[in-house]
Amino acid sequence: MKNRIIITGGCGYIGSHTVIALIEHDFEVIIIDDLSNSNEQVLERIKKITGVKPKLLNIDLKNSFLAENAFRYNKDIDAVIHFAAHKAVSESVQKPLMYYQNNLCALVNTLMAMEKYNINNFIFSSSATVYGNPKTLPIKESNETQRPFSPYGNTKKMAEEIIDDVVKANPNLRAISLRYFNPIGAHQSGMIGELPNGIPNNLMPYITQTAIGKRDKLMVFGNDYPTKDGTPIRDYIHVVDLAEAHVLALNRIFSKEKDHNLEIFNLGTGEGYSVLEVIEAFQKVTKQKLNYEITERRDGDVPKLYANVDKANDILGWRAKMGLEDMISHSWQWEEYYHLEKKN
Ligand code: WQD
């Protein structure tokens, strides 16, 4: 029998790519998603790519009654991968309570339902934002975390602390937290990708939307950082590589080697690129001219953030396969697909 996995937030950007990876590795997937920042249409695209249309439970996990029912009526769940969360940094600064309520209540309700129905395998979607502005680079998992600059980031840090407490109290629970660096890119089919609500916060969707003509120009937030060209450096990671890491994390959780503690893994390439390098690579790969302008720094941006990924290499056997050019060409392919689809 196939292992049956609940993926909360499975219609979203990283969730949907992970659903594809799991189906391709012969897992059975049930998605829980409130569709607050995603679209049901993604299920048909997953079917086109994999031949399987996953079951969707359209449920808001903030509601503890609904969260519990989802687990009551879907039996024999082997593990949960928890993506469901709001993720816009600037929105979280405007509406901190909405972020704390949504991201933390959904997590607590999911863990409570799991405990009630004796489901003991849990993977959490975390973020490199928990490192704040690190003193040493590349960052290892053993580096200290700091209070993140935004309520969004803080929900990730608090969530890891909650999971850590729950793991300590429940010796049966086996949990892994995956700290993503900067996920970009899209599925190679061009049919699935990031779909930001409104004006994008993040660099890559802003670049592709500018190149396709949806935005006037890209603002580069500051070129006076202590980096090679003055713009901040990040560790961009292809979303399909990221999705594969979840499959390996599941294998790890089901294996005997997994120890009882909450295990944490960085997921990046280990390589840092500046904003100007990304822009240059985009223009080269896509042959599009990008309209951009250097403006003021954005609050909360750190100069440099890139990962040491030895732990994921050694323990999960995971390594990013795709480089910046793949990330850019797949992001662009997705933007063009989406643009054409909307026109037709
Ligand atoms: C990258 C670089 C910007 C937009 C955030 C979250 C993190 C994770 C990923 C996920 C920075 C510059 C950006 C623009 C720009 N979260 N930039 N013009 O800030 O590293 O990380 O997204 O859900 O938790 O904090 O990513 O893509 O926003 O920025 O110049 O219009 O691009 O200043 O240097 P960031 P980003």
Side-chain angles (χ1 to χ4, degrees), residues 146-207:
Q146 292 173 15
R147 193 188 190 291
F149 298 105
S150 69
Y152 157 75
N154 209 26
T155 65
K156 292 293 177 189
K157 183 163 182 293
M158 292 167 84
E160 283 193 350
E161 289 163 0
I162 290 169
I163 299 162
D164 193 41
D165 286 342
V166 178
V167 164
K168 283 183 179 128
N170 175 2
N172 295 319
L173 184 64
R174 295 148 70 83
I176 288 179
S177 179
L178 300 174
R179 290 180 179 163
Y180 315 145
F181 279 68
N182 286 60
I184 60 171
H187 193 262
Q188 297 92 326
S189 64
M191 283 193 286
I192 299 220
E194 189 171 9
L195 246 189
N197 242 346
I199 301 170
N201 282 286
N202 298 115
L203 181 62
M204 190 48 68
Y206 212 106
I207 288 179

Short mmCIF file of all heavy atoms in Angstrom, two decimals, residues 146-207:
data_model
loop_
_atom_site.label_atom_id
_atom_site.label_comp_id
_atom_site.label_asym_id
_atom_site.label_seq_id
_atom_site.Cartn_x
_atom_site.Cartn_y
_atom_site.Cartn_z
N GLN A 146 17.99 34.24 15.28
CA GLN A 146 17.76 35.57 15.84
C GLN A 146 16.29 35.92 15.65
O GLN A 146 15.63 35.32 14.80
CB GLN A 146 18.58 36.62 15.08
CG GLN A 146 20.07 36.52 15.27
CD GLN A 146 20.80 37.49 14.35
OE1 GLN A 146 20.21 38.42 13.79
NE2 GLN A 146 22.10 37.29 14.20
N ARG A 147 15.85 36.95 16.36
CA ARG A 147 14.47 37.36 16.13
C ARG A 147 14.38 37.91 14.71
O ARG A 147 15.07 38.87 14.37
CB ARG A 147 14.07 38.45 17.12
CG ARG A 147 12.58 38.68 17.14
CD ARG A 147 12.22 39.87 17.96
NE ARG A 147 10.79 39.96 18.17
CZ ARG A 147 9.90 40.23 17.22
NH1 ARG A 147 10.30 40.40 15.97
NH2 ARG A 147 8.61 40.33 17.50
N PRO A 148 13.56 37.31 13.85
CA PRO A 148 13.47 37.79 12.48
C PRO A 148 12.92 39.22 12.42
O PRO A 148 12.33 39.71 13.38
CB PRO A 148 12.52 36.81 11.81
CG PRO A 148 12.60 35.58 12.65
CD PRO A 148 12.77 36.09 14.05
N PHE A 149 13.15 39.88 11.27
CA PHE A 149 12.77 41.28 11.14
C PHE A 149 11.28 41.49 10.91
O PHE A 149 10.82 42.62 10.95
CB PHE A 149 13.55 41.92 9.98
CG PHE A 149 15.03 41.89 10.22
CD1 PHE A 149 15.83 40.99 9.54
CD2 PHE A 149 15.61 42.74 11.14
CE1 PHE A 149 17.20 40.96 9.76
CE2 PHE A 149 16.97 42.71 11.38
CZ PHE A 149 17.77 41.82 10.69
N SER A 150 10.56 40.44 10.59
CA SER A 150 9.14 40.64 10.31
C SER A 150 8.30 39.66 11.12
O SER A 150 8.78 38.58 11.50
CB SER A 150 8.86 40.38 8.83
OG SER A 150 9.03 39.01 8.53
N PRO A 151 7.03 40.00 11.36
CA PRO A 151 6.12 39.04 12.00
C PRO A 151 6.05 37.73 11.21
O PRO A 151 6.02 36.65 11.80
CB PRO A 151 4.78 39.76 12.01
CG PRO A 151 5.17 41.21 12.06
CD PRO A 151 6.40 41.34 11.22
N TYR A 152 6.06 37.80 9.88
CA TYR A 152 6.07 36.56 9.09
C TYR A 152 7.25 35.69 9.52
O TYR A 152 7.09 34.51 9.83
CB TYR A 152 6.17 36.87 7.58
CG TYR A 152 6.74 35.70 6.81
CD1 TYR A 152 5.97 34.56 6.56
CD2 TYR A 152 8.08 35.68 6.40
CE1 TYR A 152 6.50 33.46 5.92
CE2 TYR A 152 8.62 34.58 5.76
CZ TYR A 152 7.83 33.47 5.53
OH TYR A 152 8.38 32.38 4.92
N GLY A 153 8.44 36.28 9.52
CA GLY A 153 9.64 35.52 9.88
C GLY A 153 9.53 35.00 11.31
O GLY A 153 9.93 33.87 11.61
N ASN A 154 8.96 35.83 12.16
CA ASN A 154 8.84 35.42 13.56
C ASN A 154 7.89 34.24 13.71
O ASN A 154 8.08 33.39 14.58
CB ASN A 154 8.37 36.61 14.40
CG ASN A 154 8.89 36.52 15.83
OD1 ASN A 154 9.94 35.90 16.09
ND2 ASN A 154 8.17 37.10 16.75
N THR A 155 6.86 34.17 12.84
CA THR A 155 5.96 32.99 12.94
C THR A 155 6.75 31.72 12.63
O THR A 155 6.47 30.66 13.20
CB THR A 155 4.73 33.06 12.01
OG1 THR A 155 5.14 33.03 10.64
CG2 THR A 155 3.88 34.29 12.28
N LYS A 156 7.74 31.80 11.74
CA LYS A 156 8.53 30.61 11.41
C LYS A 156 9.41 30.22 12.60
O LYS A 156 9.55 29.05 12.92
CB LYS A 156 9.40 30.86 10.16
CG LYS A 156 8.60 31.03 8.88
CD LYS A 156 7.91 29.73 8.48
CE LYS A 156 7.04 29.88 7.25
NZ LYS A 156 6.20 28.71 6.98
N LYS A 157 9.99 31.23 13.22
CA LYS A 157 10.86 30.95 14.38
C LYS A 157 10.02 30.37 15.53
O LYS A 157 10.38 29.37 16.15
CB LYS A 157 11.58 32.22 14.82
CG LYS A 157 12.54 32.01 15.96
CD LYS A 157 13.52 33.17 16.08
CE LYS A 157 14.53 32.94 17.19
NZ LYS A 157 13.92 32.94 18.53
N MET A 158 8.88 31.02 15.80
CA MET A 158 8.02 30.54 16.89
C MET A 158 7.49 29.14 16.58
O MET A 158 7.38 28.29 17.47
CB MET A 158 6.87 31.52 17.12
CG MET A 158 7.36 32.85 17.67
SD MET A 158 6.10 34.13 17.59
CE MET A 158 5.20 33.79 19.07
N ALA A 159 7.18 28.90 15.33
CA ALA A 159 6.66 27.59 14.94
C ALA A 159 7.70 26.51 15.24
O ALA A 159 7.36 25.45 15.80
CB ALA A 159 6.30 27.58 13.46
N GLU A 160 8.95 26.78 14.92
CA GLU A 160 9.99 25.77 15.20
C GLU A 160 10.08 25.53 16.71
O GLU A 160 10.29 24.39 17.15
CB GLU A 160 11.35 26.25 14.67
CG GLU A 160 11.49 26.10 13.17
CD GLU A 160 12.95 26.29 12.70
OE1 GLU A 160 13.79 26.72 13.51
OE2 GLU A 160 13.21 26.01 11.51
N GLU A 161 9.92 26.60 17.49
CA GLU A 161 10.00 26.43 18.95
C GLU A 161 8.80 25.61 19.46
O GLU A 161 8.95 24.75 20.34
CB GLU A 161 10.06 27.80 19.64
CG GLU A 161 11.42 28.48 19.40
CD GLU A 161 11.43 29.97 19.69
OE1 GLU A 161 10.39 30.55 20.09
OE2 GLU A 161 12.51 30.59 19.52
N ILE A 162 7.64 25.86 18.87
CA ILE A 162 6.44 25.08 19.27
C ILE A 162 6.67 23.61 18.95
O ILE A 162 6.45 22.72 19.78
CB ILE A 162 5.19 25.63 18.53
CG1 ILE A 162 4.81 27.01 19.07
CG2 ILE A 162 4.01 24.66 18.67
CD1 ILE A 162 3.75 27.75 18.24
N ILE A 163 7.15 23.34 17.74
CA ILE A 163 7.35 21.94 17.33
C ILE A 163 8.38 21.27 18.24
O ILE A 163 8.22 20.13 18.67
CB ILE A 163 7.79 21.85 15.85
CG1 ILE A 163 6.71 22.44 14.94
CG2 ILE A 163 8.09 20.40 15.44
CD1 ILE A 163 7.21 22.80 13.55
N ASP A 164 9.42 22.01 18.56
CA ASP A 164 10.47 21.48 19.44
C ASP A 164 9.87 21.08 20.81
O ASP A 164 10.15 20.00 21.33
CB ASP A 164 11.56 22.56 19.60
CG ASP A 164 12.82 21.99 20.22
OD1 ASP A 164 13.20 20.87 19.85
OD2 ASP A 164 13.41 22.67 21.08
N ASP A 165 9.02 21.95 21.36
CA ASP A 165 8.38 21.63 22.65
C ASP A 165 7.50 20.39 22.53
O ASP A 165 7.47 19.54 23.42
CB ASP A 165 7.50 22.81 23.11
CG ASP A 165 8.34 23.98 23.63
OD1 ASP A 165 9.53 23.76 23.94
OD2 ASP A 165 7.80 25.10 23.69
N VAL A 166 6.75 20.31 21.43
CA VAL A 166 5.81 19.19 21.27
C VAL A 166 6.58 17.88 21.10
O VAL A 166 6.20 16.84 21.65
CB VAL A 166 4.84 19.45 20.08
CG1 VAL A 166 3.90 18.28 19.87
CG2 VAL A 166 4.05 20.72 20.33
N VAL A 167 7.68 17.94 20.36
CA VAL A 167 8.52 16.74 20.18
C VAL A 167 9.07 16.28 21.53
O VAL A 167 9.10 15.08 21.83
CB VAL A 167 9.68 17.04 19.18
CG1 VAL A 167 10.76 15.99 19.26
CG2 VAL A 167 9.13 17.14 17.76
N LYS A 168 9.48 17.25 22.36
CA LYS A 168 10.04 16.87 23.67
C LYS A 168 8.98 16.21 24.56
O LYS A 168 9.28 15.32 25.34
CB LYS A 168 10.61 18.11 24.36
CG LYS A 168 11.95 18.50 23.76
CD LYS A 168 12.58 19.68 24.47
CE LYS A 168 13.92 20.00 23.85
NZ LYS A 168 14.03 21.43 23.47
N ALA A 169 7.72 16.69 24.40
CA ALA A 169 6.66 16.15 25.25
C ALA A 169 6.12 14.82 24.72
O ALA A 169 5.52 14.05 25.47
CB ALA A 169 5.52 17.17 25.34
N ASN A 170 6.29 14.58 23.44
CA ASN A 170 5.71 13.37 22.83
C ASN A 170 6.82 12.56 22.15
O ASN A 170 7.19 12.83 21.02
CB ASN A 170 4.64 13.78 21.81
CG ASN A 170 4.08 12.59 21.05
OD1 ASN A 170 4.46 11.44 21.30
ND2 ASN A 170 3.18 12.87 20.11
N PRO A 171 7.34 11.57 22.85
CA PRO A 171 8.47 10.81 22.31
C PRO A 171 8.14 10.06 21.03
O PRO A 171 9.06 9.60 20.35
CB PRO A 171 8.82 9.84 23.45
CG PRO A 171 7.72 9.90 24.42
CD PRO A 171 6.90 11.11 24.17
N ASN A 172 6.86 9.94 20.70
CA ASN A 172 6.52 9.24 19.44
C ASN A 172 6.62 10.14 18.22
O ASN A 172 6.68 9.66 17.09
CB ASN A 172 5.09 8.68 19.51
CG ASN A 172 5.00 7.62 20.58
OD1 ASN A 172 5.91 6.80 20.73
ND2 ASN A 172 3.93 7.67 21.36
N LEU A 173 6.58 11.45 18.46
CA LEU A 173 6.55 12.37 17.31
C LEU A 173 7.94 12.51 16.70
O LEU A 173 8.92 12.76 17.40
CB LEU A 173 6.03 13.74 17.76
CG LEU A 173 5.84 14.77 16.65
CD1 LEU A 173 4.78 14.33 15.65
CD2 LEU A 173 5.45 16.13 17.24
N ARG A 174 7.99 12.35 15.38
CA ARG A 174 9.26 12.50 14.66
C ARG A 174 9.09 13.69 13.72
O ARG A 174 8.20 13.69 12.86
CB ARG A 174 9.56 11.23 13.87
CG ARG A 174 9.78 10.02 14.79
CD ARG A 174 9.31 8.74 14.15
NE ARG A 174 10.17 8.34 13.04
CZ ARG A 174 11.30 7.66 13.18
NH1 ARG A 174 11.72 7.32 14.38
NH2 ARG A 174 12.01 7.31 12.14
N ALA A 175 9.94 14.70 13.88
CA ALA A 175 9.72 15.94 13.13
C ALA A 175 11.00 16.45 12.48
O ALA A 175 12.10 16.31 13.04
CB ALA A 175 9.14 17.01 14.05
N ILE A 176 10.81 17.04 11.31
CA ILE A 176 11.92 17.67 10.58
C ILE A 176 11.47 19.06 10.16
O ILE A 176 10.34 19.25 9.70
CB ILE A 176 12.29 16.84 9.32
CG1 ILE A 176 13.00 15.54 9.73
CG2 ILE A 176 13.15 17.64 8.36
CD1 ILE A 176 13.39 14.63 8.57
N SER A 177 12.35 20.03 10.34
CA SER A 177 12.06 21.38 9.86
C SER A 177 13.04 21.70 8.74
O SER A 177 14.25 21.55 8.90
CB SER A 177 12.21 22.38 11.01
OG SER A 177 11.96 23.68 10.53
N LEU A 178 12.51 22.14 7.61
CA LEU A 178 13.35 22.46 6.45
C LEU A 178 13.41 23.97 6.29
O LEU A 178 12.38 24.64 6.13
CB LEU A 178 12.76 21.80 5.19
CG LEU A 178 12.64 20.27 5.25
CD1 LEU A 178 11.90 19.73 4.02
CD2 LEU A 178 14.01 19.62 5.38
N ARG A 179 14.63 24.49 6.40
CA ARG A 179 14.79 25.96 6.29
C ARG A 179 15.17 26.32 4.86
O ARG A 179 16.31 26.11 4.44
CB ARG A 179 15.89 26.42 7.26
CG ARG A 179 15.44 26.31 8.71
CD ARG A 179 16.54 26.78 9.65
NE ARG A 179 16.09 26.69 11.04
CZ ARG A 179 16.89 26.71 12.08
NH1 ARG A 179 18.20 26.84 11.92
NH2 ARG A 179 16.39 26.63 13.31
N TYR A 180 14.20 26.88 4.14
CA TYR A 180 14.44 27.25 2.75
C TYR A 180 15.18 28.57 2.69
O TYR A 180 14.87 29.50 3.42
CB TYR A 180 13.13 27.45 1.97
CG TYR A 180 12.06 26.41 2.18
CD1 TYR A 180 10.72 26.79 2.18
CD2 TYR A 180 12.36 25.07 2.36
CE1 TYR A 180 9.71 25.86 2.34
CE2 TYR A 180 11.36 24.13 2.53
CZ TYR A 180 10.03 24.53 2.53
OH TYR A 180 9.03 23.61 2.70
N PHE A 181 16.09 28.68 1.74
CA PHE A 181 16.71 29.97 1.48
C PHE A 181 15.80 30.75 0.51
O PHE A 181 14.69 31.05 0.90
CB PHE A 181 18.19 29.78 1.10
CG PHE A 181 19.00 29.60 2.37
CD1 PHE A 181 18.83 28.44 3.15
CD2 PHE A 181 19.82 30.59 2.86
CE1 PHE A 181 19.48 28.29 4.38
CE2 PHE A 181 20.48 30.45 4.07
CZ PHE A 181 20.31 29.31 4.84
N ASN A 182 16.18 31.04 -0.71
CA ASN A 182 15.26 31.83 -1.55
C ASN A 182 14.71 30.99 -2.70
O ASN A 182 15.34 30.89 -3.76
CB ASN A 182 15.98 33.07 -2.09
CG ASN A 182 16.18 34.12 -1.03
OD1 ASN A 182 16.83 33.87 -0.02
ND2 ASN A 182 15.62 35.29 -1.24
N PRO A 183 13.54 30.39 -2.51
CA PRO A 183 12.97 29.53 -3.56
C PRO A 183 12.51 30.35 -4.76
O PRO A 183 11.76 31.32 -4.61
CB PRO A 183 11.76 28.88 -2.88
CG PRO A 183 11.89 29.18 -1.42
CD PRO A 183 12.69 30.43 -1.31
N ILE A 184 12.98 29.97 -5.93
CA ILE A 184 12.50 30.57 -7.19
C ILE A 184 12.36 29.44 -8.21
O ILE A 184 12.50 28.27 -7.87
CB ILE A 184 13.42 31.70 -7.71
CG1 ILE A 184 14.84 31.19 -7.99
CG2 ILE A 184 13.46 32.86 -6.73
CD1 ILE A 184 15.73 32.20 -8.72
N GLY A 185 12.08 29.80 -9.46
CA GLY A 185 11.94 28.77 -10.49
C GLY A 185 10.51 28.25 -10.54
O GLY A 185 9.62 28.72 -9.82
N ALA A 186 10.30 27.28 -11.41
CA ALA A 186 8.97 26.73 -11.63
C ALA A 186 9.13 25.33 -12.21
O ALA A 186 10.23 24.96 -12.61
CB ALA A 186 8.19 27.62 -12.60
N HIS A 187 8.02 24.60 -12.28
CA HIS A 187 8.10 23.24 -12.83
C HIS A 187 8.56 23.29 -14.29
O HIS A 187 8.17 24.20 -15.03
CB HIS A 187 6.72 22.56 -12.71
CG HIS A 187 6.81 21.10 -12.97
ND1 HIS A 187 6.49 20.55 -14.19
CD2 HIS A 187 7.23 20.08 -12.18
CE1 HIS A 187 6.70 19.24 -14.13
NE2 HIS A 187 7.14 18.93 -12.92
N GLN A 188 9.34 22.29 -14.69
CA GLN A 188 9.92 22.28 -16.04
C GLN A 188 8.85 22.27 -17.13
O GLN A 188 9.11 22.67 -18.26
CB GLN A 188 10.82 21.04 -16.25
CG GLN A 188 12.04 20.99 -15.34
CD GLN A 188 11.77 20.23 -14.05
OE1 GLN A 188 10.67 20.28 -13.52
NE2 GLN A 188 12.80 19.55 -13.53
N SER A 189 7.65 21.79 -16.81
CA SER A 189 6.55 21.76 -17.80
C SER A 189 6.09 23.18 -18.13
O SER A 189 5.40 23.39 -19.14
CB SER A 189 5.36 21.00 -17.21
OG SER A 189 4.87 21.70 -16.08
N GLY A 190 6.40 24.15 -17.28
CA GLY A 190 5.91 25.51 -17.47
C GLY A 190 4.47 25.70 -17.01
O GLY A 190 3.91 26.78 -17.12
N MET A 191 3.85 24.64 -16.48
CA MET A 191 2.42 24.73 -16.15
C MET A 191 2.14 25.10 -14.69
O MET A 191 1.00 25.38 -14.32
CB MET A 191 1.74 23.39 -16.44
CG MET A 191 1.49 23.18 -17.92
SD MET A 191 0.38 21.81 -18.19
CE MET A 191 1.42 20.44 -17.84
N ILE A 192 3.18 25.05 -13.87
CA ILE A 192 3.00 25.35 -12.44
C ILE A 192 4.12 26.29 -12.00
O ILE A 192 5.27 26.08 -12.38
CB ILE A 192 3.06 24.06 -11.60
CG1 ILE A 192 1.95 23.13 -12.04
CG2 ILE A 192 3.04 24.34 -10.12
CD1 ILE A 192 1.26 22.39 -10.98
N GLY A 193 3.77 27.29 -11.23
CA GLY A 193 4.81 28.22 -10.76
C GLY A 193 4.26 29.10 -9.67
O GLY A 193 3.17 28.86 -9.14
N GLU A 194 5.02 30.14 -9.37
CA GLU A 194 4.60 31.05 -8.30
C GLU A 194 3.55 32.01 -8.84
O GLU A 194 3.69 32.54 -9.94
CB GLU A 194 5.82 31.83 -7.80
CG GLU A 194 5.53 32.63 -6.57
CD GLU A 194 6.79 33.23 -5.94
OE1 GLU A 194 7.86 33.16 -6.56
OE2 GLU A 194 6.67 33.76 -4.82
N LEU A 195 2.50 32.24 -8.05
CA LEU A 195 1.45 33.15 -8.46
C LEU A 195 1.20 34.16 -7.36
O LEU A 195 0.26 34.02 -6.59
CB LEU A 195 0.16 32.34 -8.69
CG LEU A 195 -0.40 32.24 -10.09
CD1 LEU A 195 -1.76 31.58 -10.05
CD2 LEU A 195 -0.47 33.57 -10.78
N PRO A 196 2.03 35.19 -7.26
CA PRO A 196 1.86 36.11 -6.13
C PRO A 196 0.55 36.89 -6.23
O PRO A 196 0.13 37.24 -7.33
CB PRO A 196 3.06 37.05 -6.24
CG PRO A 196 3.80 36.69 -7.45
CD PRO A 196 3.09 35.59 -8.16
N ASN A 197 -0.04 37.12 -5.09
CA ASN A 197 -1.26 37.92 -5.01
C ASN A 197 -0.88 39.38 -5.13
O ASN A 197 -0.11 39.87 -4.30
CB ASN A 197 -1.87 37.70 -3.61
CG ASN A 197 -3.23 37.07 -3.69
OD1 ASN A 197 -3.82 37.04 -4.77
ND2 ASN A 197 -3.72 36.60 -2.56
N GLY A 198 -1.38 40.10 -6.12
CA GLY A 198 -1.08 41.53 -6.23
C GLY A 198 0.38 41.78 -6.59
O GLY A 198 1.00 41.01 -7.32
N ILE A 199 0.92 42.88 -6.04
CA ILE A 199 2.30 43.26 -6.40
C ILE A 199 3.27 42.33 -5.68
O ILE A 199 3.20 42.20 -4.46
CB ILE A 199 2.56 44.73 -6.00
CG1 ILE A 199 1.57 45.63 -6.72
CG2 ILE A 199 3.99 45.14 -6.32
CD1 ILE A 199 1.56 47.06 -6.25
N PRO A 200 4.19 41.70 -6.43
CA PRO A 200 5.09 40.76 -5.76
C PRO A 200 6.05 41.47 -4.80
O PRO A 200 6.48 42.59 -5.05
CB PRO A 200 5.89 40.15 -6.92
CG PRO A 200 5.24 40.58 -8.17
CD PRO A 200 4.41 41.77 -7.88
N ASN A 201 6.37 40.77 -3.71
CA ASN A 201 7.39 41.26 -2.78
C ASN A 201 8.77 40.78 -3.20
O ASN A 201 9.76 41.41 -2.93
CB ASN A 201 7.17 40.63 -1.39
CG ASN A 201 6.07 41.29 -0.62
OD1 ASN A 201 6.25 42.39 -0.14
ND2 ASN A 201 4.93 40.64 -0.53
N ASN A 202 8.79 39.59 -3.78
CA ASN A 202 10.06 38.90 -4.00
C ASN A 202 10.66 39.24 -5.36
O ASN A 202 9.97 39.63 -6.30
CB ASN A 202 9.88 37.38 -3.87
CG ASN A 202 9.41 37.02 -2.46
OD1 ASN A 202 8.31 36.52 -2.28
ND2 ASN A 202 10.22 37.30 -1.47
N LEU A 203 11.97 39.07 -5.41
CA LEU A 203 12.73 39.53 -6.58
C LEU A 203 12.31 38.85 -7.89
O LEU A 203 12.02 39.53 -8.88
CB LEU A 203 14.23 39.31 -6.32
CG LEU A 203 15.17 39.76 -7.43
CD1 LEU A 203 15.06 41.26 -7.67
CD2 LEU A 203 16.62 39.38 -7.10
N MET A 204 12.31 37.51 -7.92
CA MET A 204 12.12 36.85 -9.21
C MET A 204 10.75 37.12 -9.84
O MET A 204 10.68 37.47 -11.02
CB MET A 204 12.41 35.34 -9.10
CG MET A 204 12.46 34.61 -10.42
SD MET A 204 13.47 35.38 -11.72
CE MET A 204 15.09 35.19 -11.05
N PRO A 205 9.63 36.98 -9.08
CA PRO A 205 8.36 37.31 -9.72
C PRO A 205 8.28 38.78 -10.14
O PRO A 205 7.64 39.11 -11.16
CB PRO A 205 7.30 36.98 -8.66
CG PRO A 205 8.03 36.73 -7.40
CD PRO A 205 9.46 36.40 -7.74
N TYR A 206 8.96 39.66 -9.41
CA TYR A 206 8.96 41.07 -9.83
C TYR A 206 9.70 41.22 -11.15
O TYR A 206 9.28 41.95 -12.05
CB TYR A 206 9.56 41.99 -8.75
CG TYR A 206 8.90 43.34 -8.77
CD1 TYR A 206 8.00 43.72 -7.78
CD2 TYR A 206 9.14 44.21 -9.82
CE1 TYR A 206 7.36 44.94 -7.84
CE2 TYR A 206 8.49 45.44 -9.89
CZ TYR A 206 7.60 45.79 -8.89
OH TYR A 206 6.95 46.99 -8.98
N ILE A 207 10.81 40.50 -11.28
CA ILE A 207 11.59 40.57 -12.53
C ILE A 207 10.75 40.04 -13.70
O ILE A 207 10.63 40.69 -14.74
CB ILE A 207 12.90 39.75 -12.40
CG1 ILE A 207 13.89 40.45 -11.47
CG2 ILE A 207 13.52 39.50 -13.77
CD1 ILE A 207 15.21 39.70 -11.28
#
